[in-house]
Amino acid sequence: MYNLARSLLFKLDPEVAHELSLDLLAASSRLGVNKLLGGLPAASPVEVMGLRFPNAVGLAAGLDKNADAFEALGALGFGFVEVGTITPKGQAGNPKPRLFRLPEHEAIINRMGFNNKGVDHLVSRIKSHNYPGVLGVNIGKNLTTSVEGAAADYLACLTAVIPYADYITANISSPNTPGLRSLQFGESLAELISPLIAARNQYEAEHGKRVPLAVKIAPDMTDDEIKLVSDTLVEQGVDGIIATNTTLSRDAVAGHQFAEEAGGLSGAPVRDASTHVVKTLAEHLKGTLPIIGVGGISSGADAVEKLQAGASLVQIYSGFIYQGPELIKEAVASTDAYFRECDLGI
Ligand code: FMN
């Protein structure tokens, strides 16, 4: 079924296809027919960051930036959905074209630039909902906000969404907002994260609800940089690390007609780099912080590979575009079986 839909969608401009699919999914929610999409596949729940995930397979950030279709996306089987990246004010993002398919590599290059309707719209969408999985909200800064002023943007988003989010992700690894990735390093990282943790802790003290804060990092770091970043995140008291965002590397797609397009490369070509970051983090952190593995998952085996590298949960974006909902079911079945084997000591 998805093969047919895909062959039609892939005839359209990638961004038109994206918007059309999201509109259809949003309509499915409005008409109350999400049940027809299948719902959550049978799996044992997984406890991570103090939250109970119905299964270990989530939708990665960026697909439903405005939370317009997350209930329907969840009904396709994702145990968690991360909406966003959202910024305080709505913004148009980069000029089009800014989204490119590389089907020969099962890959995507994007330089969307955080196009989104702003945090108030997102809050209106997540205020009340009937998605039974875990809802994460991924936050960022506006293009017009300086890197030095970034903390205020992240804080504004966190404060707005915290009553409604199950967890929040600070995205400091998009390659498409100039200077954003510099927030991953040194003093900038501590200065960005510490007010977020303070606000999160204050919310918990006042409302009795603890909302985990995760941080999403890039794959384009040396092992030493990965270790330094993770040390700072542990010191600051974050609850999890999402590894990884898209890559700037083009090694795996060299020679492709779109290889030189600016932006982040995702899908199969980023798989090994992402898994390497997960493994490096896991070996360094020794269980102090959970890792959510994302990058290039296009089969159940790929999802299990991320768990074997040390992730507790996985997320998918590009593989879902290429393979559709069947991939969710396959990844849920494989990760669930893997956890069961681990419990049995197989
Ligand atoms: N990650 C974010 O944290 N925020 C975003 O807004 C965001 N937008 C994305 C837009 C597109 C078109 C794509 C392809 C990815 C985007 N990502 C974003 C990155 C994905 O969440 C994910 O980390 C990355 O694509 C690697 O996973 P994949 O290989 O399964 O796609």
Side-chain angles (χ1 to χ4, degrees):
M1 176 73 173
Y2 184 73
N3 283 347
L4 177 64
R6 188 188 117 157
S7 62
L8 296 174
L9 287 169
F10 272 36
K11 288 199 171 64
L12 302 173
D13 165 78
E15 206 168 329
V16 172
H18 181 103
E19 274 159 23
L20 179 67
S21 311
L22 275 189
D23 285 350
L24 288 172
L25 287 165
S28 153
S29 295
R30 274 197 307 277
L31 297 170
V33 293
N34 280 349
K35 277 197 197 84
L36 300 177
L37 298 174
L40 291 171
S44 304
V46 190
E47 294 270 343
V48 181
M49 303 191 292
L51 300 171
R52 195 177 162 86
F53 292 74
N55 64 59
V57 180
L59 175 65
L63 197 148
D64 188 10
K65 291 184 195 277
N66 300 300
D68 285 330
F70 69 98
E71 288 153 298
L73 285 160
L76 292 172
F78 288 112
F80 62 115
V81 173
E82 192 168 307
V83 295
T85 297
I86 203 75
T87 55
K89 289 178 284 183
Q91 60 181 28
N94 287 320
K96 296 177 187 174
R98 53 193 181 178
L99 183 59
F100 305 88
R101 294 187 202 106
L102 292 74
E104 304 82 349
H105 297 281
E106 226 178 89
I108 296 173
I109 290 177
N110 93 84
R111 52 169 179 271
M112 304 301 287
F114 293 167
N115 56 309
N116 77 95
K117 298 178 186 168
V119 74
D120 291 345
H121 171 86
L122 182 130
V123 166
S124 74
R125 290 285 312 131
I126 65 172
K127 243 181 179 157
S128 85
H129 65 83
N130 52 26
Y131 171 46
V134 169
L135 178 64
V137 181
N138 181 304
I139 61 175
K141 76 163 195 72
N142 279 116
L143 175 68
T144 50
T145 304
S146 67
V147 172
E148 296 71 37
D153 273 17
Y154 284 86
L155 193 56
C157 288
L158 179 136
T159 312
V161 305
I162 200 165
Y164 317 107
D166 294 320
Y167 74 89
I168 296 172
T169 302
N171 176 13
I172 50 173
S173 49
S174 167
N176 301 317
T177 296
L180 195 89
R181 283 184 168 196
S182 67
L183 293 168
Q184 294 178 119
F185 302 108
E187 279 303 296
S188 310
L189 182 58
E191 280 165 18
L192 179 80
I193 299 300
S194 114
L196 300 181
I197 291 289
R200 187 282 301 275
N201 290 347
Q202 189 184 338
Y203 186 84
E204 183 182 1
E206 287 170 4
H207 298 89
K209 177 190 166 200
R210 181 180 173 81
V211 181
L213 179 71
V215 174
K216 185 164 176 181
I217 64 171
D220 308 318
M221 282 193 260
T222 65
D223 288 2
D224 284 344
E225 285 171 338
I226 296 169
K227 290 174 195 166
L228 273 176
V229 168
S230 63
D231 287 342
T232 306
L233 296 179
V234 171
E235 267 161 40
Q236 291 297 321
V238 310
D239 301 274
I241 304 183
I242 304 189
T244 67
N245 214 309
T246 55
T247 181
L248 288 171
S249 165
R250 294 293 187 269
D251 294 351
V253 297
H256 190 279
Q257 61 162 325
F258 294 139
E260 298 313 318
E261 291 291 347
L265 172 69
S266 59
V270 78
R271 180 185 308 139
D272 290 347
S274 299
T275 305
H276 177 77
V277 177
V278 171
K279 201 163 188 289
T280 308
L281 284 171
E283 284 168 3
H284 187 63
L285 290 166
K286 298 188 173 61
T288 9
L289 280 186
I291 302 158
I292 301 178
V294 50
I297 294 176
S298 56
S299 67
D302 294 340
V304 169
E305 188 180 73
K306 291 280 192 278
L307 301 183
Q308 284 168 331
S312 304
L313 299 165
V314 298
Q315 289 179 326
I316 305 177
Y317 188 139
S318 304
F320 174 61
I321 301 298
Y322 281 101
Q323 300 192 31
E326 275 310 304
L327 175 60
I328 311 169
K329 292 186 182 66
E330 187 189 325
V332 170
S334 302
T335 50
D336 192 48
Y338 174 77
F339 286 132
R340 230 164 314 128
E341 283 168 16
C342 291
D343 284 349
L344 293 171
I346 298 172

